[in-house]
Amino acid sequence: MTLLKQNNMKYNKYLPLLTLILLSNPLFAQKSKKISKIKQAVINSVATHQQELIGLSDKVWALAETALMEYESSKVLADYAESQGFTVERGIAGMPTAFVASYGSGKPIIAVLGEFDALPGISQKASPIKEPLNKGAAGHGCGHNLFGAGSLGAALAIKELIEDGKLSGTVRFYGTPAEEAIGGKIYMARDGIFDDVDISLDWHPSQVTKANVQSTLALVDFNVEFFGKSAHASSDPWNGRSAVDGMELFNMGVNVYREHIRPTVRIHYTIQAGGDVPNVVPEYAKVWIWIRDSKRSVVAEVYQRVQEIAKGAAMMAGVDYKVSLNGGDYEILVNRTGGKVMHDNLELLGPITYTAEENEFAKKIQQATDKPQDGMNTEIAPFEETKEHPGGGSTDVGDVSWVVPEIRLSVATAPAGTPWHSWAVVACGGMSIGHKGMLLAAKAIGMTMVDLFQNEALRKEIKEEFVEKKGDQVFKAMLPEGPPPVPKIK
Ligand SMILES: [Zn+2]
């Protein structure tokens, strides 16, 4: 006892010095960083508007409108932005549901992206048991209801700081439709809507929380059609030329070609039309194909070759063919400088905490989808190395990232293992697990925007990385000529 006391006294003498040494060590300094007043204002703003943001997200969740049909969802977000003092321009880049909400004036121009389209056929209640809200209807299986409302919450916090004279410049919220189909951002990028932006940010609902410094896959989406000549399949087949023959030879050619593509390439297709009845030589066939790779340059190479295969197949079958480009995404041009700033802000905020009921909900979702029942992942993932070949999916954020430096965030809005684009994501996105993720995203994006507005040297460093990584590649949207294919409303 006495000894212990003596020891304590001995150390007490050195305590101030010891603290100083510890705090000056970068490892400890990180942990001891305080949230600045201005960042606290962002957190407070999100907290003040919390119920409104949850309300927006829930409305968009219940509307569950699919790509290019998000009329009400887009209006809900745009109207709210307008009511908060943003100037809103609707019907951008030929899409009635695309809009830009802006506030402030001059440079820097800092943007945040927001999506709001749903996926067909996966309607679901906010319940951990599979049960549609409206049978056969769409559902937010990618969490875009949270994406849109969360990003708008960040933009609103910055708007208030500009209004109060604490920041100067312009904040913009980009309402970007149809991510799940044609990729609204590709059309917006093609039309130069992002050209004067300094830095853009986005987030995506996920199973993990991290500054996202991984790329995505570049993609080309196209159709190949074959046109033959019809005839009776038994009495005069020699007068017919089968479009299905052309299609089968084409698919065979592509599948043989698979042996000679890089392991990072993905080719997937479906047959859209392949004749009607066996006793008629089919005059029409259609295939729908996507080619992906971690690099746009490789996609372009494979796309070229596949078009040659279509030509060869048509020659063999004696039919005509047509290749129609639907669109294509760039891979994400990762910005690590920006990503690190996002990571530091996430660490300042700390992890999300969940109630026992929320963890129970998460475990039921995991049980229903045959996943280990470990509940919500609360970890803020360490700042990762960027992989050369990330695998996974594609996004039209890729195109934006080749026009302007893009800073990205993933936030857990569903438990680990949740199958994405499924009813389970819809369920979590309509209740407090999703809401908590959305609010964290709004805060982290808002705080990162504060850094960008305040720190000119940081903006310069982010732009330098962008310019260096982009190299001499010139952005060219992979799209058919003309306006986006907006369906006519009946
Ligand atoms: Zn998505």
Side-chain angles (χ1 to χ4, degrees):
M1 194 63 160
T2 320
L3 193 73
L4 202 71
K5 204 172 179 182
Q6 270 179 352
N7 275 346
N8 273 349
M9 280 177 71
K10 197 166 102 190
Y11 285 120
N12 276 349
K13 200 170 117 190
Y14 296 109
L15 203 63
L17 186 67
L18 199 70
T19 313
L20 197 73
I21 292 167
L22 279 175
L23 286 180
S24 57
N25 179 322
L27 246 165
F28 286 89
Q30 176 64 38
K31 296 284 178 212
S32 71
K33 258 187 200 165
K34 284 272 179 316
I35 296 178
S36 65
K37 256 191 180 163
I38 191 162
K39 287 186 181 175
Q40 190 57 50
V42 168
I43 297 170
N44 295 348
S45 167
V46 174
T48 303
H49 297 288
Q50 180 164 320
Q51 287 316 315
E52 294 156 29
L53 297 173
I54 290 172
L56 292 175
S57 172
D58 284 353
K59 266 188 204 163
V60 173
W61 181 86
L63 284 162
E65 296 169 300
T66 54
L68 297 174
M69 301 304 288
E70 326 93 325
Y71 288 92
E72 287 304 314
S73 309
S74 161
K75 190 174 180 312
V76 162
L77 297 172
D79 285 355
Y80 179 72
E82 217 162 50
S83 77
Q84 292 295 321
F86 283 84
T87 303
V88 177
E89 200 184 331
R90 304 175 198 233
I92 300 284
M95 292 170 287
T97 52
F99 69 95
V100 180
S102 63
Y103 188 85
S105 61
K107 287 275 193 177
I109 302 172
I110 308 294
V112 60
L113 311 175
E115 298 173 1
F116 38 78
D117 60 327
L119 286 155
I122 51 168
S123 173
Q124 165 68 27
K125 290 183 180 170
S127 141
I129 293 138
K130 193 177 178 197
E131 191 182 3
L133 183 67
N134 300 305
K135 205 163 181 282
H140 272 285
C142 206
H144 294 179
N145 57 309
L146 303 165
F147 187 164
S151 293
L152 189 50
L156 179 56
I158 297 300
K159 178 250 160 190
E160 290 171 353
L161 289 170
I162 295 175
E163 193 175 24
D164 291 350
K166 306 252 167 57
L167 295 175
S168 67
T170 308
V171 62
R172 279 196 201 146
F173 172 88
Y174 281 79
T176 65
E179 193 278 330
E180 300 291 1
I182 61 156
K185 295 177 203 74
I186 312 171
Y187 287 88
M188 293 167 92
R190 180 185 72 176
D191 286 11
I193 312 287
F194 301 102
D195 286 359
D196 62 347
V197 172
D198 289 289
I199 295 162
S200 166
L201 298 94
D202 72 277
W203 76 287
H204 202 288
S206 179
Q207 304 165 359
V208 293
T209 300
K210 62 175 188 181
N212 189 346
V213 287
Q214 300 306 337
S215 189
T216 52
L217 298 186
L219 156 79
V220 60
D221 166 341
F222 59 103
N223 287 105
V224 183
E225 292 166 289
F226 294 92
F227 307 91
K229 204 170 109 193
S230 195
H232 192 290
S234 185
S235 52
D236 67 334
W238 48 87
N239 284 324
R241 292 290 178 270
S242 169
V244 169
D245 288 354
M247 179 184 74
E248 287 195 289
L249 288 164
F250 170 70
N251 287 340
M252 202 189 298
V254 170
N255 289 330
V256 167
Y257 173 46
R258 281 181 200 275
E259 190 180 338
H260 309 286
I261 57 179
R262 288 161 210 268
T264 49
V265 177
R266 297 285 180 274
I267 306 178
H268 20 267
Y269 67 94
T270 59
I271 294 165
Q272 302 275 291
D276 299 314
V277 287
N279 57 350
V280 176
V281 173
E283 61 178 4
Y284 182 67
K286 183 180 182 183
V287 194
W288 186 10
I289 314 185
W290 287 16
I291 298 169
R292 307 196 211 213
D293 187 75
S294 48
K295 302 282 172 287
R296 168 65 156 258
S297 50
V298 175
V299 166
E301 210 177 281
V302 175
Y303 182 41
Q304 196 55 43
R305 181 67 191 274
V306 166
Q307 290 180 77
E308 293 292 316
I309 293 171
K311 187 178 172 185
M315 277 171 72
M316 281 193 279
V319 298
D320 291 328
Y321 80 106
K322 185 182 168 196
V323 177
S324 309
L325 174 69
N326 297 320
D329 294 325
Y330 268 85
E331 73 272 25
I332 294 279
L333 191 67
V334 172
N335 195 290
R336 292 188 59 84
T337 312
K340 183 66 176 55
V341 181
M342 180 66 85
H343 175 78
D344 291 347
N345 282 311
L346 267 183
E347 294 230 308
L348 278 178
L349 281 165
I352 302 174
T353 51
Y354 296 99
T355 63
E357 291 77 35
E358 286 162 347
N359 263 318
E360 210 38 54
F361 189 100
K363 284 177 187 170
K364 279 186 184 159
I365 290 272
Q366 289 170 322
Q367 185 183 23
T369 55
D370 296 324
K371 297 290 169 346
Q373 291 159 50
D374 50 7
M376 291 303 295
N377 177 357
T378 57
E379 188 203 20
I380 292 170
F383 191 59
E384 296 171 341
E385 286 300 315
T386 301
K387 294 177 191 143
E388 173 79 14
H389 299 293
S394 310
T395 168
D396 61 4
V397 178
D399 285 60
V400 180
S401 77
W402 284 80
V403 177
V404 48
E406 185 72 30
I407 303 176
R408 313 197 67 219
L409 167 70
S410 297
V411 179
T413 60
T418 307
W420 222 251
H421 284 198
S422 84
W423 68 269
V425 175
V426 187
C428 297
M431 49 80 70
S432 59
I433 290 175
H435 299 154
K436 283 186 172 176
M438 173 187 75
L439 296 170
L440 182 80
K443 291 170 193 167
I445 292 173
M447 287 161 74
T448 304
M449 283 174 134
V450 164
D451 287 321
L452 299 174
F453 273 99
Q454 288 189 319
N455 191 341
E456 194 182 345
L458 174 66
R459 294 199 300 271
K460 194 163 165 270
E461 206 186 323
I462 288 170
K463 278 187 199 170
E464 277 167 4
E465 181 182 338
F466 169 77
V467 168
E468 195 196 313
K469 282 191 174 160
K470 191 174 171 184
D472 54 7
Q473 295 202 58
V474 179
F475 170 75
K476 191 179 183 306
M478 200 182 264
L479 288 176
E481 292 294 314
V486 179
K488 295 253 183 310
I489 307 172
K490 285 166 203 143

